Amino acid sequence: MNVILLGPPGAGKGTQAHLLMEHHGMRQLSTGDMLRKAVKNRTEVGLQAKAIMDRGDLVSDEIVSALIDNELAEMPADMGAIFDGYPRTEAQARDLDEILSRHDRKLDHVIELEVDEDALVDRITGRFTCAECGEGYHDRHKQPEREGVCDKCGSTEFKRRPDDTEETVRKRMAVYRAETAPILPHYERKGIVTRIDGMGTMDGVSRAIEGVIAS
Ligand code: AMP
């Protein structure tokens, strides 16, 4: 099973990808996570990508397609892939077709999470995670039960993404509308696109995704 999760930043793609990993033993392939790791490790890719990411612009198609190609090459052939934040441009969608066929994989579903942009700005600008275990929290909607202590692992270190400011979020949404939404017709022609209301509860969205995958 190979699935693309599409949707603007903050639509819940990462959260839903984690649930799919837990329920189905699939692997999340998040180009955003791969790039953040490269930035942290100060690799050549990371050094090139940092300023672009901080502005909310897109890193080059060649870089992200190579990251995906390398990850797929490392994965067992029978392990499903969840593409999260990739492809984001028409060129990447074409790259992915070619990469998948080279790895003897086929795309089963493209699931678009539809969301309200103003609500997303609220969602993204308040989010933070435990630096230790990655558990997600929110300033207004989900504070840890004991202030400053992670519910899950007890760590007292938390982190925020540097690109989660209102200005950058609005920029990333504009980029989504201009560059990423236009790739949907590419997949609509293949008859594999499903749109889901991404503003529901985490469980509700997860159930809707499970329904698509079981179909
Ligand atoms: P994300 O975590 O998916 O929101 O990605 C964070 C940032 O990484 C984006 O704003 C881009 O700068 C960069 N990025 C992630 N995935 C891609 C991609 N597929 N193509 C180009 N840039 C990307």
Side-chain angles (χ1 to χ4, degrees):
M1 176 79 67
N2 297 285
V3 179
I4 295 176
L5 289 181
L6 266 185
K13 302 185 296 291
T15 304
Q16 295 300 332
H18 275 115
L19 293 173
L20 285 172
M21 288 204 288
E22 277 173 26
H23 298 162
H24 299 282
M26 300 170 78
R27 182 171 301 170
Q28 174 196 27
L29 300 181
S30 159
T31 41
D33 285 349
M34 294 174 205
L35 290 167
R36 277 185 287 280
K37 194 166 154 202
V39 169
K40 192 165 159 233
N41 293 339
R42 298 175 160 274
T43 66
E44 200 177 316
V45 163
L47 294 176
Q48 280 183 45
K50 184 171 185 333
I52 300 171
M53 292 171 74
D54 286 347
R55 285 200 304 271
D57 280 327
L58 292 182
V59 174
S60 82
D61 296 328
E62 292 73 25
I63 287 181
V64 290
S65 291
L67 289 172
I68 289 288
D69 196 8
N70 293 342
E71 287 286 322
L72 280 177
E74 304 275 300
M75 274 170 62
D78 59 353
M79 181 181 267
I82 311 153
F83 297 95
D84 163 7
Y86 177 92
R88 255 174 156 104
T89 64
E90 290 180 353
Q92 291 176 25
R94 287 194 299 273
D95 287 347
L96 181 60
D97 285 347
E98 192 265 319
I99 292 169
L100 285 173
S101 88
R102 221 167 351 93
H103 292 281
D104 273 331
R105 287 174 179 264
K106 94 173 206 321
L107 205 52
D108 298 283
H109 297 286
V110 176
I111 300 175
E112 189 193 22
L113 300 177
E114 294 185 301
V115 285
D116 172 89
E117 287 201 4
D118 287 328
L120 279 194
V121 171
D122 171 71
R123 211 190 250 188
I124 299 184
T125 54
R127 71 184 176 182
F128 61 100
T129 53
C130 170
E132 195 64 42
C133 73
E135 180 72 357
Y137 294 97
H138 197 280
D139 292 330
R140 293 170 289 281
H141 310 302
K142 189 192 163 198
Q143 284 283 355
E145 272 168 32
R146 270 180 58 208
E147 198 186 332
V149 183
C150 175
D151 298 341
K152 215 169 181 182
C153 75
S155 164
T156 53
E157 298 280 326
F158 295 89
K159 59 182 185 184
R160 286 173 195 270
R161 283 175 45 170
D163 57 350
D164 275 351
T165 62
E166 172 155 3
E167 191 191 354
T168 314
V169 170
R170 296 232 180 247
K171 171 72 188 289
R172 284 155 61 205
M173 281 171 186
V175 170
Y176 179 81
R177 279 195 305 272
E179 305 279 348
T180 307
I183 70 179
L184 275 160
H186 177 83
Y187 297 115
E188 265 156 358
R189 284 194 287 278
K190 300 177 198 256
I192 54 172
V193 176
T194 308
R195 293 189 166 80
I196 284 181
D197 177 5
M199 297 312 292
T201 61
M202 191 178 85
D203 287 346
V205 175
S206 168
R207 272 196 300 278
I209 292 177
E210 292 292 337
V212 174
I213 284 183
S215 66

